[in-house]
Amino acid sequence: MDVDKLLLESESYEDYLDAFVQPRDLFYLRDPRLARQLVTLGYRSAIDVLTLKQYKARRDELLETLSTTRHHHILFSTNCRATDVMVVELAERERTNRLGMLTTIISMRYRQSNKVEISGYIDFEASLRKSITDDEEATDWTAIFNETMTLRLKKSDLGYYNWHTGFSVMNDSTNFKAVADPVRGLFFECRHDRKPIYVDPFGDVGSGSTRTVVKSNYYSHVVLFDHVIRSKT
């Protein structure tokens, strides 16, 4: 018996138990509830029958995995008709980021509706991946690429700085490690090949990386740092 297939096909715990009930059980017991009790006691299956709690946990896990697999290769930028240069540039980079060929750091600065200026850095691939898995902090990239929503920095991103309060935070991600160097200043180390990506606008960006300054209608400053991933040496 394919247990995972049975779990996915069962709309309820009762449906799951009914798969183990034998016809003679219903003939003699005349009550489906009693027949299910025999199953939960382990009398009608060579495999361990899941409890209700185990059933719910395992089925939810399978449904989440199935959903992620089905949507993993769907690009948020599909049919993108954006006019803003930054959105167009990111749409062109989505596929290579999703495939792990390229990692992109989005450096941006903008003013909120209350005129407070915010700046920071976003790991583009990590942000896309959160959207695939429906993470609570996920950015709605479909809305970004459709230009029905503007991209906003989160305190959980690579970097976040509030120019009004002075609050700042730096975070590591699955792709980058934030490093504050006394000589070179802030840079990000790519976890895949340990190459540094320098975000100083006047210095060398680093081996295998490029810097692209983007003019945007929505943001006062945008720079895209692209790093081609190479194997560790």
Side-chain angles (χ1 to χ4, degrees), residues 87-133:
V87 180
V88 173
E89 291 279 352
L90 290 177
E92 292 176 352
R93 290 164 168 79
E94 183 187 4
R95 182 175 180 275
T96 50
N97 269 265
R98 294 274 294 276
L99 291 175
M101 301 164 60
L102 185 77
T103 52
T104 299
I105 297 174
I106 307 169
S107 171
M108 60 190 304
R109 185 173 69 244
Y110 58 86
R111 289 187 182 277
Q112 299 181 140
S113 57
N114 60 3
K115 306 303 181 182
V116 172
E117 192 169 32
I118 304 295
S119 64
Y121 303 91
I122 297 172
D123 181 336
F124 184 37
E125 188 279 330
S127 183
L128 289 168
R129 185 158 22 84
K130 279 187 177 182
S131 295
I132 296 169
T133 56

Side-chain angles (χ1 to χ4, degrees), residues 16-140:
Y16 166 73
L17 294 178
D18 285 345
F20 299 97
V21 173
Q22 299 176 13
R24 65 174 181 271
D25 296 332
L26 293 176
F27 178 79
Y28 288 110
L29 296 173
R30 305 292 182 178
D31 189 337
R33 292 174 298 178
L34 292 177
R36 291 173 190 141
Q37 286 181 13
L38 285 178
V39 174
T40 59
L41 292 173
Y43 294 128
R44 289 296 179 265
S45 175
I47 64 173
D48 292 332
V49 176
L50 301 178
T51 64
L52 175 59
K53 183 177 181 181
Q54 292 170 332
Y55 163 83
K56 289 181 177 179
R58 179 57 182 160
R59 191 170 190 274
D60 288 346
E61 181 182 344
L62 287 171
L63 289 172
E64 181 178 354
T65 300
L66 183 62
S67 175
T68 300
T69 301
R70 285 177 175 172
H71 295 87
H72 183 72
H73 298 294
I74 298 176
L75 299 179
F76 295 111
S77 58
T78 300
N79 301 321
C80 175
R81 296 293 183 269
T83 58
D84 185 69
V85 178
M86 188 203 78
V87 180
V88 173
E89 291 279 352
L90 290 177
E92 292 176 352
R93 290 164 168 79
E94 183 187 4
R95 182 175 180 275
T96 50
N97 269 265
R98 294 274 294 276
L99 291 175
M101 301 164 60
L102 185 77
T103 52
T104 299
I105 297 174
I106 307 169
S107 171
M108 60 190 304
R109 185 173 69 244
Y110 58 86
R111 289 187 182 277
Q112 299 181 140
S113 57
N114 60 3
K115 306 303 181 182
V116 172
E117 192 169 32
I118 304 295
S119 64
Y121 303 91
I122 297 172
D123 181 336
F124 184 37
E125 188 279 330
S127 183
L128 289 168
R129 185 158 22 84
K130 279 187 177 182
S131 295
I132 296 169
T133 56
D134 296 324
D135 188 282
E136 290 184 359
E137 294 188 349
T139 294
D140 187 345

Side-chain angles (χ1 to χ4, degrees), residues 2-14:
D2 188 331
V3 178
D4 287 348
K5 184 174 183 293
L6 173 59
L7 286 170
L8 291 172
E9 292 176 346
S10 301
E11 294 295 331
S12 67
Y13 186 56
E14 287 73 19

